[in-house]
Amino acid sequence: MVHRLVSSIVGLWIFGLALVGGFAFAQGNDTALTPPMGWNSWNHFACNVTAADVRSAADAIVSSGMKSAGYVYVNIDDCWQGKRDAQGVIHPNEKFPDMKGLSDYFHGQGLKLGIYSSPGPKTCAEHEGSLGHEEQDAETYAGWGIDYLKYDYCSFQGDVQAQIAAYKKMHNALEKTGRSIVFSLCQYGMDRVWTWGPSVGGNLWRTTGDISDDYSSMAYIGFGQNGLERFAGPGHWNDPDMLEVGNGKMNKDEYRTHMSLWCILAAPLLAGNDLSKMTPETLAILTNPEVLAVDQDSLGAQGHRVAQEGPLEVWAKPLADGSKAVGLFNRGESVMPVTAYFRDIGVGESASVRDLWEKRDLGVFKVRFTAQVPVHGAVMIKVK
Ligand code: GLA
C-alpha cells in the first residue's frame, strides 16, 4: 500500500517535471506539435532566389492543393540579406524589396513566411549573420511577420557550450518578441544536437549534412536516422533535411522511398522543388493524404528500423489509433520480395493491411505480409 502510494507520488512528480520540461522546450506551447510542412527555396533556387520566386511558390502551393494537404510554411533560405544600417538593423537586398508586404500577402492566403540566418558573423553564402544582433534581428523578423527561422551554424566558432549558448540566445530573443516563431536549428547533427536541441528551444534540428538530389545521398541520410527516434516528439523533431522530390535526378520509386521514409521518420516536410513547374507525378508524391497522415500523426512518434536482410529493410512507426505505419524498402538492384513479420512490428498474429500509396485495403493477413518491392522503391502499409 505504502509502496503504491510512494510510486504514484513519484509518478506524479515525474509527470509534472515532464510537463514543465515540455513547456520550456518549444517557442510557445502549440508550436510545431506535428512536424512542420511547407516549402524552402534552397534546394531548387539556392542563391538565385527572388521575392517573385517565393511568391510564385506560395501561389502554386495554394492552387495545386498543397496548402490543403498541410504545406503552409514558405521559407526563404540564404541570400535574402542586404546590409545593416548605422543602427545595426538588417535590411533585405534588392531582390526582396518588401518583406512585410510579402508576409501580408502570405498571411492573407493562410500561409506562413520563414527566413534564414546564422549565429555566426556570416551565413554559409557569406551574407550577414546575426552574431551580436540577435535581439535586433528577432525584432526585425517579428516586425516583418516572420513565422519560422532557420538558424544555420555556418561561420560560427566555439565549442559545444558556446554553440548551445548561441542557439539559446536567439531562442530567448525570439520569445521576447512575443510572436510564435518556429525555431529550426541547422548545425548538421554535430555534438549530438538531438540531446540538447529541445533545451535551447529548437522545434527541429538538422541531424545530417546537406541532402542532394540523388538516391545515394537521400538513402544515406534517411536510412541513417535509426536510433534517433527517442529524441523526437511533439514540438521537437529530428530533421534529416528538406525534400528533393520533383527536382529531377531520382526516379518515381526513389522519390516514393524518400517520401515514405521521411513520413515514417516524422520528419519536417519542406518541399524543395520548383512548384511552378511541377508534374502531376511529383504533386501526387507530395500530397498523398494517407502517407502525409503518417507524418502528421498526433502521437508524434518517430519510426525506426525493425528488421533488415541485407539491402531489404522494414521500418515501423506507431500511430495514435494503435495501428502501425510500415515501410518495406528495397535498397538493392533488382526487384525483391520484402516481408514484414507482425511480431517485429508489434501487432497481433492476424492483422488487416492497407496499402497507403495505392489507398487500397489488401485484406487480413496472418503472421506476415510480403510485397514485391521495386529497385530503390518502397511499399507503405498501415497494419491494424
Ligand atoms: C547550409 C545548409 C543548407 C542551406 C545553405 C545555405 O549548407 O545546410 O540547407 O541553408 O547552407 O547557404
Side-chain angles (χ1 to χ4, degrees), residues 42 77-78 116 124-125 150 152 154 186 188 206 210 241-242:
W42 185 254
D77 207 273
D78 209 348
Y116 167 101
C124 296
K150 173 173 169 183
D152 194 350
C154 302
C186 177
Y188 336 119
R206 279 270 297 278
D210 290 15
D241 207 358
M242 303 172 289

Side-chain angles (χ1 to χ4, degrees), residues 357-371:
W357 282 112
E358 303 307 328
K359 304 181 192 130
R360 208 156 42 91
D361 285 329
L362 301 180
V364 173
F365 290 76
K366 283 200 176 1
V367 181
R368 68 175 84 86
F369 171 80
T370 300

Side-chain angles (χ1 to χ4, degrees), residues 144-212:
W144 287 341
I146 296 293
D147 306 292
Y148 185 117
L149 173 67
K150 173 173 169 183
Y151 209 43
D152 194 350
Y153 185 92
C154 302
S155 65
F156 184 81
Q157 300 215 329
D159 60 13
V160 62
Q161 290 314 324
Q163 205 188 140
I164 288 173
Y167 277 101
K168 181 91 179 135
K169 193 168 194 179
M170 184 48 104
H171 164 69
N172 292 342
L174 293 174
E175 283 233 309
K176 201 167 160 202
T177 68
R179 190 174 173 82
S180 172
I181 299 177
V182 172
F183 191 33
S184 157
L185 273 50
C186 177
Q187 48 77 281
Y188 336 119
M190 294 184 295
D191 301 304
R192 298 178 70 224
V193 60
W194 40 86
T195 61
W196 53 264
S199 72
V200 300
N203 296 117
L204 59 156
W205 48 85
R206 279 270 297 278
T207 54
T208 76
D210 290 15
I211 195 168
S212 59

Side-chain angles (χ1 to χ4, degrees), residues 51-208:
D53 297 327
V54 176
R55 262 182 189 251
S56 3
D59 291 342
I61 281 187
V62 174
S63 63
S64 66
M66 280 178 72
K67 184 192 146 205
S68 318
Y71 293 85
V72 291
Y73 290 96
V74 178
N75 296 347
I76 309 167
D77 207 273
D78 209 348
C79 306
W80 62 267
Q81 308 88 337
K83 297 275 167 259
R84 292 190 185 276
D85 64 22
Q87 282 70 47
V89 175
I90 185 84
H91 293 275
N93 60 31
E94 61 293 343
K95 295 188 294 170
F96 292 89
D98 182 10
M99 282 292 190
K100 181 72 174 75
L102 203 58
S103 88
D104 287 344
Y105 180 70
F106 284 14
H107 293 150
Q109 303 197 64
L111 299 174
K112 291 168 183 282
L113 178 59
I115 208 160
Y116 167 101
S117 190
S118 169
K122 294 282 174 208
T123 66
C124 296
E126 302 277 315
H127 296 288
E128 283 292 312
S130 292
L131 183 68
H133 296 276
E134 293 82 1
E135 286 206 2
Q136 211 171 18
D137 286 359
E139 274 164 33
T140 302
Y141 302 155
W144 287 341
I146 296 293
D147 306 292
Y148 185 117
L149 173 67
K150 173 173 169 183
Y151 209 43
D152 194 350
Y153 185 92
C154 302
S155 65
F156 184 81
Q157 300 215 329
D159 60 13
V160 62
Q161 290 314 324
Q163 205 188 140
I164 288 173
Y167 277 101
K168 181 91 179 135
K169 193 168 194 179
M170 184 48 104
H171 164 69
N172 292 342
L174 293 174
E175 283 233 309
K176 201 167 160 202
T177 68
R179 190 174 173 82
S180 172
I181 299 177
V182 172
F183 191 33
S184 157
L185 273 50
C186 177
Q187 48 77 281
Y188 336 119
M190 294 184 295
D191 301 304
R192 298 178 70 224
V193 60
W194 40 86
T195 61
W196 53 264
S199 72
V200 300
N203 296 117
L204 59 156
W205 48 85
R206 279 270 297 278
T207 54
T208 76

